[in-house]
């Protein structure tokens, strides 16, 4: 079996870890030139703010919904990604880094464990160690674990 670990709203989650006052608030992270939205918190998604929209089109949400806007900070995101991956490697040695916010874990040799409980343990350990919420998909193949 293979587990896909996917960090939820990764750039926004990283910002919230280092600025706890942002937790629970609508938040968007902007592209390199601050021209477009490249990440959204769950609260921003609920407001209907789309991925890739122009920054100017979300300015109205600042007053009406207390939208928080942050420029991207790739050094922070790289550091947080390393922390998440290191936490995963403490659980299992076979971690395949797929992207900055995704990894595959080979669950070979774990035949007699409850995979649902194991996935929950992974989520809790990553949250406790990094503050980053994750989703875990477990299936026989990488493609199915992503689904």
């Amino acid at each position: 079996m293979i587990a896909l670990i996917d960090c939820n709203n990764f750039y926004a989650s990283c910002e919230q870890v280092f600025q706890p006052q942002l937790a629970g608030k609508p938040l968007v992270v902007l592209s390199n030139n601050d021209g477009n939205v490249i990440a959204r918190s769950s609260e921003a998604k609920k407001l209907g703010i789309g991925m890739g929209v122009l920054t100017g089109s979300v300015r109205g949400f600042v007053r009406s919904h207390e939208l928080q806007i942050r420029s991207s900070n790739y050094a922070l995101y790289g550091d947080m990604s390393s922390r998440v991956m290191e936490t995963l490697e403490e659980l299992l040695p076979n971690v395949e880094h797929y992207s900055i916010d995704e990894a595959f874990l080979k669950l070979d040799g774990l035949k007699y464990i409850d995979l649902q409980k194991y996935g929950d343990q992974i989520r809790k350990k990553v949250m406790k160690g990094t503050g980053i919420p994750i989703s875990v998909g477990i299936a026989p193949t990488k493609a199915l674990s992503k689904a």
Side-chain angles (χ1 to χ4, degrees), residues 8-19:
N8 300 339
N9 311 319
F10 185 59
Y11 293 172
S13 293
C14 291
E15 296 290 342
Q16 290 170 328
V17 167
F18 280 89
Q19 298 178 59

Side-chain angles (χ1 to χ4, degrees), residues 94-137:
N94 293 324
V95 177
E96 178 185 338
H97 301 222
Y98 185 67
S99 68
I100 193 166
D101 71 333
E102 292 180 298
F104 290 105
L105 301 177
K106 292 182 182 176
L107 303 179
D108 300 338
L110 302 178
K111 295 178 186 178
Y112 303 107
I113 66 164
D114 182 327
L115 293 175
Q116 176 72 40
K117 286 182 183 177
Y118 191 67
D120 287 342
Q121 289 173 348
I122 294 170
R123 277 187 321 98
K124 289 175 184 171
K125 182 158 178 85
V126 171
M127 177 59 95
K128 183 178 180 183
T130 67
I132 300 294
I134 64 168
S135 295
V136 180

Side-chain angles (χ1 to χ4, degrees), residues 72-88:
S72 51
N73 181 346
Y74 295 108
L76 169 65
Y77 311 146
D79 180 62
M80 291 302 293
S81 176
S82 293
R83 292 180 191 198
V84 168
M85 299 305 167
E86 287 170 9
T87 302
L88 294 173

Side-chain angles (χ1 to χ4, degrees), residues 18-58:
F18 280 89
Q19 298 178 59
Q21 72 275 16
L22 298 175
K25 295 184 180 178
L27 166 69
V28 295
V29 177
L30 305 178
S31 60
N32 286 347
N33 62 2
D34 287 349
N36 300 77
V37 172
I38 60 168
R40 305 157 296 155
S41 67
S42 297
E43 296 80 10
K45 290 176 184 179
K46 289 177 185 171
L47 293 176
I49 297 173
M51 186 68 117
V53 299
L54 296 174
T55 302
S57 68
V58 300

